[in-house]
């Protein structure tokens, strides 16, 4: 048997020492000193304090009086971002400094957090749009109404109008508890597992405007639903409470953590627990506390909860939650079965009290003040309770008597909404895009609306749902990776070698039973001009090649790459 003996190190040689691991800015581990300008700004002054300066100084002295640290930082905690100045194409997005893209007007985000918007709230939203926002308004995929063209001088008056109707913009942006997604049919759906409205309202009461949660490492997105269709996209939120039934304890909620998209998409991890309704807010505070104390703060690109969950694993995450924050164990319970498709509640549906709710669609979330005011009038006229916004840029009107449903749905059409949308209108979303967003590279809203119009002509009787999510940049605000057609805006080369607006394509992404991120094709980009024909060719290929009952996402997994590239027209049999 041979043996090996170690050789002595050469005289004068130094033993290599491992480099000390850099701190990630985790407060719980003692790293309290700010490691970037965002953290420094939050340490210098709690962003919630900026409201007083807006009311007492900036609204009186105008845009030029705003401290830059407030303008590009703390204003976000009041739901305000500077919008993109006109005249800058997508090529300037990555080459100019943020302040060079600043307009003197603001985007304002109004959070609704799953609440029912009665006629007064809808009218306040509509009148704010027409009086202060040049009649702009978008329904976002986070239960928000988003305005543009807001002047800082008008902000206090806007707050007075909105807050008088029970609405707020506080922490609609920033490193804070972002607007909550709640089921639009909470408390009314016949097939609901549990109504979580009370828990969501309690989370809001504890969290919004509370300095304990106003300095998180980055944004913190919450979703809660007791509906079996999982109608709040729970897989892609930082924290989600999802209705479940324990064999002994009855209805409650499972806890899912660490979901998110952007440039490093991750699906939430399911803890497999049972949480009673009255403990949901406690658990939310515990998870938000973990994120605040253990979240990574050194690099903004790694400062979301999903990175901590991925590093720890769900077992350690649950252990820390139970031992350090809740000081009690959670009850085990199998996670609920995922639905084949998540619910959007479009159309007419009977409520459990015998009344009806109506889900209605604008085009890619774009409405205006006139639509909101008109809807308020219809809610009054037909005696409805109000409306909730959805996670899919749609809305649901609640509490209609059976004998007025037909007349109500007919009048919806007069204000730019429909309860009977085509597949393409129903299943297409778009982010703000280059029209107003400083991060965007391409146009989205107008391009997506034009795509809907064209596809309605080419496929008027589509017999299977196909989703299209159009995004202006890699940040995935419209959930690029989880749509049948996920379009990520970027500059591409056309056939003549010219740089033009276009998209990287993700195909076959989904949430629900077959949750997955869409398939990307190597070196494949589509110009914005060529988008109609690309989608048409791929859909034709799917309809020709599909098996009985096969969904688009399932087909994409097995389809030949040539068909997915959409470069050749395939005629339907």
């Amino acid at each position: 048997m041979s043996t090996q003996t170690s050789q002595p190190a050469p005289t004068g040689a130094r033993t290599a020492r491992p480099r000390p691991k850099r701190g990630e800015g985790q407060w719980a581990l003692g790293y309290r000193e700010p490691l970037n300008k965002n953290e420094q700004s939050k340490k210098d002054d709690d962003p919630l304090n900026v409201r007083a300066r807006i009311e007492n100084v900036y609204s009186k002295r105008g845009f030029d009086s705003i401290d830059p640290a407030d303008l590009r930082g703390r204003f976000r905690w009041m739901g305000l971002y500077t919008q993109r100045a006109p005249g800058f194409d997508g090529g300037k997005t990555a080459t100019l400094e943020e302040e060079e893209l600043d307009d003197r007007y603001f985007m304002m985000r109004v959070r609704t957090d799953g609440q029912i918007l009665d006629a007064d709230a809808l009218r306040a939203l509509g009148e704010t749009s027409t009086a202060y926002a040049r009649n702009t308004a978008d329904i976002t995929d986070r239960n928000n109404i988003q305005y543009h063209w807001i002047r800082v001088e008008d902000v206090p008056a806007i707050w007075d109008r909105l807050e008088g109707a029970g609405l707020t913009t506080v922490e609609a942006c920033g490193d804070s508890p972002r607007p909550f997604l709640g089921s639009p049919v909470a408390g009314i759906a016949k097939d609901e597992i549990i109504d979580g409205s009370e828990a969501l309202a309690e989370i809001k009461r504890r969290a919004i405007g509370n300095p304990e949660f106003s300095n998180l490492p980055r944004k913190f997105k919450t979703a809660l639903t007791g509906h079996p269709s999982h109608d709040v996209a729970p897989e892609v939120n930082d924290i989600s409470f999802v209705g479940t039934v324990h064999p002994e304890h009855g209805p409650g909620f499972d806890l899912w953590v660490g979901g998110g998209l952007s440039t490093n998409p991750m699906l939430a991890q399911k803890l497999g627990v049972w949480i009673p309704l009255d403990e949901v807010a406690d658990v939310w505070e515990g998870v938000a506390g973990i994120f605040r104390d253990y979240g990574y703060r050194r690099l903004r690109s790694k400062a979301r909860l999903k990175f901590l969950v991925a590093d720890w694993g769900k077992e350690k995450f649950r252990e820390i939650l139970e031992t350090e924050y809740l000081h009690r164990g959670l009850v085990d319970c199998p996670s609920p079965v995922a639905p084949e498709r998540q619910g959007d509640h479009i159309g007419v549906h009977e409520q459990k009290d015998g009344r009806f709710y109506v889900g209605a669609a604008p085009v890619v979330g774009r409405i205006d003040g006139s639509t909101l005011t008109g809807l308020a009038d219809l809610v009054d006229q037909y005696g409805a309770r109000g409306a909730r916004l959805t996670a899919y840029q749609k809305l649901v009107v609640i509490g209609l008597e059976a004998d007025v449903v037909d007349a109500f749905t007919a009048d919806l059409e007069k204000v730019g909404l429909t309860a009977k949308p085509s597949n393409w209108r129903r299943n297409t979303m778009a982010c703000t895009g280059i029209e107003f967003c400083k991060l965007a590279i391409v146009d989205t809203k107008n391009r997506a609306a034009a795509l809907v119009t064209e596809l309605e002509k080419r496929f008027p009787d589509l017999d299977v749902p196909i989703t299209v999510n159009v995004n202006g940049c890699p940040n995935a605000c419209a959930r690029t990776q989880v749509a049948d057609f996920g379009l990520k805006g970027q500059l591409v080369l056309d056939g003549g070698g010219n740089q033009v607006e276009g998209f990287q394509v993700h195909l076959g992404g989904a949430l629900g039973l077959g949750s997955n991120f869409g398939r990307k094709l190597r070196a494949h980009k589509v110009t914005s001009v060529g988008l109609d024909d690309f989608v048409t060719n791929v859909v034709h290929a799917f309809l020709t090649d599909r098996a009985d009952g096969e969904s688009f996402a399932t087909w994409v997994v097995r389809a030949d790459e040539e068909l997915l590239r959409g470069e050749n027209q395939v005629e339907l049999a």
Side-chain angles (χ1 to χ4, degrees):
M1 181 175 66
S2 62
T3 60
Q4 293 182 337
T5 57
S6 59
Q7 299 296 318
T11 303
R14 294 182 177 179
T15 303
R17 294 182 178 179
R19 280 187 174 184
K21 186 177 180 180
R22 296 184 68 179
E24 294 293 344
Q26 295 165 282
W27 286 1
L29 302 184
Y31 296 101
R32 302 287 302 203
E33 285 303 308
L35 296 173
N36 56 57
K37 67 176 184 179
N38 302 86
E39 291 298 310
Q40 184 64 56
S41 177
K42 290 184 290 182
K43 182 178 181 181
D44 290 344
D45 185 36
D46 189 316
L48 294 174
N49 294 333
V50 78
R51 175 165 181 148
R53 292 193 288 278
I54 293 173
E55 292 176 321
N56 300 321
V57 180
Y58 303 144
S59 65
K60 294 177 169 57
R61 298 181 183 175
F63 185 88
D64 291 332
S65 70
I66 304 172
D67 185 309
D70 285 344
L71 180 67
R72 299 181 191 94
R74 303 182 191 102
F75 264 49
R76 298 175 184 180
W77 275 252
M78 295 298 114
L80 294 163
Y81 283 97
T82 49
Q83 68 187 39
R84 187 187 189 98
F88 293 106
D89 61 33
K92 301 292 194 300
T93 298
T95 60
L96 295 179
E97 295 297 326
E98 181 181 8
E99 56 269 23
E100 296 179 272
L101 293 170
D102 281 338
D103 202 349
R104 298 172 67 85
Y105 297 93
F106 293 88
M107 177 275 286
M108 174 182 276
R109 190 174 291 159
V110 185
R111 58 190 303 155
T112 70
D113 302 308
Q115 73 190 76
I116 296 176
L117 305 172
D118 62 15
D120 184 36
L122 291 167
R123 196 165 285 114
L125 289 166
E127 291 174 355
T128 296
S129 169
T130 53
Y132 301 110
R134 301 189 186 181
N135 207 36
T136 60
D138 290 327
I139 301 174
T140 77
D141 59 8
R142 292 210 62 80
N143 290 183
N144 303 314
I145 293 293
Q146 194 159 285
Y147 299 125
H148 301 285
W149 300 110
I150 299 295
R151 301 186 320 139
V152 71
E153 292 88 344
D154 296 326
V155 170
I158 293 171
W159 282 341
D160 285 346
R161 182 69 178 97
L162 295 176
E163 290 170 2
L167 298 165
T168 185
T169 69
V170 174
E171 294 180 297
C173 314
D175 298 346
S176 64
R178 294 290 188 95
F180 309 144
L181 289 176
S183 171
V185 295
I188 63 167
K190 296 171 73 172
D191 56 347
E192 184 176 48
I193 297 169
I194 183 172
D195 178 6
S197 304
E198 178 185 320
L200 203 56
E202 178 61 15
I203 294 170
K204 186 173 184 177
R205 186 190 69 79
R206 297 187 191 185
I208 304 309
N210 182 353
E212 288 293 311
F213 302 109
S214 65
N215 183 357
L216 301 177
R218 276 201 68 193
K219 65 185 74 171
F220 186 65
K221 295 183 176 182
T222 300
L224 184 151
T225 182
H227 196 270
S229 71
H230 295 184
D231 48 8
V232 294
E235 300 96 326
V236 293
N237 282 267
D238 294 285
I239 178 173
S240 295
F241 296 93
V242 181
T244 190
V245 178
H246 190 280
E248 297 178 12
H249 303 300
F253 295 91
D254 192 11
L255 175 62
W256 300 4
V257 294
L261 295 176
S262 192
T263 54
N264 288 283
M266 300 182 195
L267 295 175
Q269 298 198 38
K270 305 175 183 181
L271 267 59
V273 298
W274 178 85
I275 302 168
L277 182 66
D278 61 359
E279 294 182 12
V280 167
D282 294 339
V283 174
W284 185 92
E285 285 189 304
V287 174
I290 289 176
F291 182 43
R292 177 194 62 216
D293 301 337
Y294 286 98
Y296 304 143
R297 293 174 181 262
R298 182 170 67 88
L299 297 175
R300 298 284 289 175
S301 59
K302 286 197 65 179
R304 293 292 300 277
L305 181 65
K306 62 186 177 183
F307 294 102
L308 181 67
V309 173
D311 288 346
W312 277 7
K314 64 181 182 181
E315 292 80 10
K316 179 177 177 179
F317 190 93
R318 177 176 174 177
E319 177 188 353
I320 297 295
L321 175 64
E322 292 175 333
T323 58
E324 296 187 20
Y325 291 85
L326 298 178
H327 306 294
R328 64 180 182 273
L330 295 170
V331 177
D332 290 330
C333 183
S335 293
V337 175
E340 185 174 343
R341 295 184 64 84
Q342 295 186 349
D344 63 5
H345 307 295
I346 293 296
V348 177
H349 308 269
E350 187 174 6
Q351 300 176 182
K352 61 185 178 183
D353 64 0
R355 295 182 176 88
F356 288 80
Y357 66 88
V358 176
V363 178
V364 297
R366 177 135 290 178
I367 53 173
D368 56 32
S370 303
T371 299
L372 288 162
T373 304
L375 182 61
D377 292 341
L378 293 179
V379 166
D380 270 342
Q381 178 183 344
Y382 289 99
R385 285 182 63 191
R388 283 191 178 117
L389 307 182
T390 82
Y392 301 95
Q393 300 182 343
K394 312 294 187 295
L395 59 85
V396 175
V397 178
I398 293 164
L400 291 159
E401 297 291 347
D403 60 354
V404 304
V405 168
D406 289 343
F408 176 81
T409 56
D411 281 347
L412 274 180
E413 302 280 346
K414 299 175 184 177
V415 298
L417 301 167
T418 181
K420 299 177 181 179
S422 69
N423 169 86
W424 306 108
R425 181 167 176 171
R426 179 174 184 171
N427 291 312
T428 300
M429 298 199 304
C431 72
T432 299
I434 200 170
E435 182 180 10
F436 297 115
C437 179
K438 293 181 294 184
L439 301 177
I441 301 167
V442 304
D443 172 60
T444 54
K445 287 290 190 186
N446 295 325
R447 185 64 191 92
L451 178 65
V452 167
T453 299
E454 189 60 30
L455 293 176
E456 286 176 335
K457 297 174 184 176
R458 299 185 186 189
F459 301 96
D461 301 312
L462 190 70
D463 62 355
V464 61
I466 294 178
T467 57
V468 182
N469 291 0
V470 185
N471 296 262
C473 77
N475 288 319
C477 294
R479 305 187 199 128
T480 317
Q481 301 96 330
V482 292
D484 290 317
F485 286 88
L487 305 172
K488 182 178 78 175
Q490 57 185 226
L491 298 179
V492 302
L493 298 180
D494 66 11
N498 303 301
Q499 194 175 64
V500 297
E501 290 191 0
F503 300 93
Q504 182 186 61
V505 180
H506 300 243
L507 292 172
L511 297 177
L513 186 60
S515 293
N516 76 97
F517 300 130
R519 177 178 173 184
K520 291 185 288 187
L521 305 182
R522 182 172 52 86
H524 184 56
K525 309 289 188 293
V526 178
T527 66
S528 183
V529 169
L531 186 58
D532 297 352
D533 289 340
F534 166 74
V535 175
T536 296
N537 290 343
V538 176
V539 172
H540 270 148
F542 161 64
L543 295 176
T544 301
D545 189 48
R546 64 178 169 171
D548 289 343
E550 189 172 29
S551 69
F552 183 87
T554 303
W555 173 76
V556 165
V557 174
R558 67 169 182 83
D560 290 340
E561 185 170 315
E562 181 180 355
L563 295 178
L564 300 180
R565 287 185 172 274
E567 294 166 350
N568 300 310
Q569 186 171 351
V570 179
E571 295 296 335
L572 288 174

